Amino acid sequence: MRNTTQDYVVSGLISALYFCGFLSSLVSLRNAVISSPPGYLLYRDLTLAIVALVTNVLFSLFFLIRRPSNSTKGRKTSYLWAILGTYLPLFFGFGHFRYAAGVDILVIVGSLITAYSIYSLGKSIDIFASNRGIVTAGPYKYIRHPMYLSYLWVNTMFLILTPIQTLRILLFAFWVFCVYKRIIDEEKLLFNSKKYKGYATLVKFRLIPKLW
C-alpha cells in the first residue's frame, strides 16, 4: 500500500487549486470588512469568507498528508464525474445575490457541514474514487456522503439567491447528475471493502435520510 507518482502529482495540482481558493477567501474576507459601514459587519459575507478560508485550509492540509490508497481501480469515467462534480460549479456564474431572509443562513449552515465533513474525513480525503480508510465518525454516522449533501445544499441556496438564467439552471442540473454518478462510482469501489459493507448496513442512506 503506497502512494504512486500519480498520487503526488494529483496532490500537488489539487492543493494548488485549493491554495488559490485560500487566497480568494482572504480577498473575500478583506472585502467583507472594508465594505461594511463603520461599526457594522456584514455577518453573512464575513462568516462565509471565514468558513471558506477554514474549508480550503483543511482540504489542502489533509489532501497533502492523506493516507495511501487501498484501492483506486475504479472505472475511468469516475475521473470525469469527479472532476465535473468538483469544478463545474465554478462556471455557474453565481452573483448579484438577493439575500432572502433565512436562505443566507442556510448557506452558512451548509458551508459549516462541508468544513465538518472535511475535518471528519481527515487523511481519508480524496477527489477521485479511492479507499483511503473508511470514516464512520462525525456526520458520517448519519449519512454516507455528507460532504456531497453539503455541496448540493449550498449551491441550491446560491441558485435560489441568484437571478434566473436558463444556462445556469441547465448547468446546475447537469452538475447534480455528475454528483449522483460520482456517488455511484465511489460506492462500487468502496463496496469491495468488507468494512464499508458493514458500515453501509448500519448507515443505510447515501445522501438524504429516509429517501436515498
Side-chain angles (χ1 to χ4, degrees):
M1 192 170 65
R2 61 187 179 85
N3 283 328
T4 64
T5 301
Q6 179 181 333
D7 279 334
Y8 291 120
V9 171
V10 170
S11 292
L13 290 173
I14 299 298
S15 295
L17 286 171
Y18 275 86
F19 181 72
C20 291
F22 166 76
L23 294 179
S24 176
S25 300
L26 283 179
V27 172
S28 298
L29 185 60
R30 173 181 175 274
N31 292 341
V33 174
I34 291 176
S35 64
S36 300
Y40 178 75
L41 286 177
L42 295 176
Y43 77 92
R44 293 165 296 201
D45 294 338
L46 186 62
T47 304
L48 279 173
I50 292 172
V51 172
L53 188 65
V54 171
T55 299
N56 282 296
V57 168
L58 285 174
F59 195 102
S60 298
L61 173 64
F62 289 135
F63 204 87
L64 282 172
I65 62 174
R66 63 195 174 136
R67 295 186 184 94
S69 174
N70 291 318
S71 174
T72 55
K73 294 182 179 178
R75 295 188 300 177
K76 290 183 179 179
T77 53
S78 67
Y79 291 96
L80 174 65
W81 303 128
I83 291 170
L84 291 175
T86 301
Y87 298 111
L88 195 58
L90 296 176
F91 300 94
F92 288 167
F94 288 143
H96 305 291
F97 293 123
R98 320 180 288 263
Y99 280 114
V103 178
D104 49 327
I105 301 298
L106 292 177
V107 172
I108 293 171
V109 171
S111 300
L112 288 171
I113 293 172
T114 300
Y116 186 33
S117 298
I118 291 173
Y119 174 77
S120 299
L121 271 179
K123 295 181 181 181
S124 295
I125 204 162
D126 204 350
I127 289 288
F128 304 112
S130 65
N131 180 354
R132 296 181 185 273
I134 307 303
V135 174
T136 61
Y140 292 86
K141 291 187 293 187
Y142 307 104
I143 55 174
R144 302 205 294 264
H145 300 280
M147 189 157 61
Y148 296 153
L149 174 62
S150 68
Y151 289 165
L152 291 164
W153 180 336
V154 170
N155 282 308
T156 299
M157 295 303 107
F158 280 148
L159 187 69
I160 292 171
L161 295 171
T162 305
I164 295 174
Q165 290 183 5
T166 302
L167 178 59
R168 180 180 294 128
I169 293 174
L170 290 175
L171 275 175
F172 181 85
F174 178 61
W175 172 71
V176 172
F177 173 75
C178 292
V179 173
Y180 165 78
K181 293 293 289 183
R182 187 178 185 183
I183 291 172
I184 296 300
D185 278 357
E186 283 188 13
E187 293 223 317
K188 284 182 178 178
L189 184 146
L190 290 171
F191 267 103
N192 291 322
S193 162
K194 290 182 179 179
K195 184 174 181 181
Y196 193 82
K197 287 179 181 177
Y199 166 65
T201 60
L202 296 174
V203 180
K204 299 183 183 301
F205 299 99
R206 298 179 180 94
L207 210 64
I208 304 173
K210 305 300 182 182
L211 289 178
W212 186 70

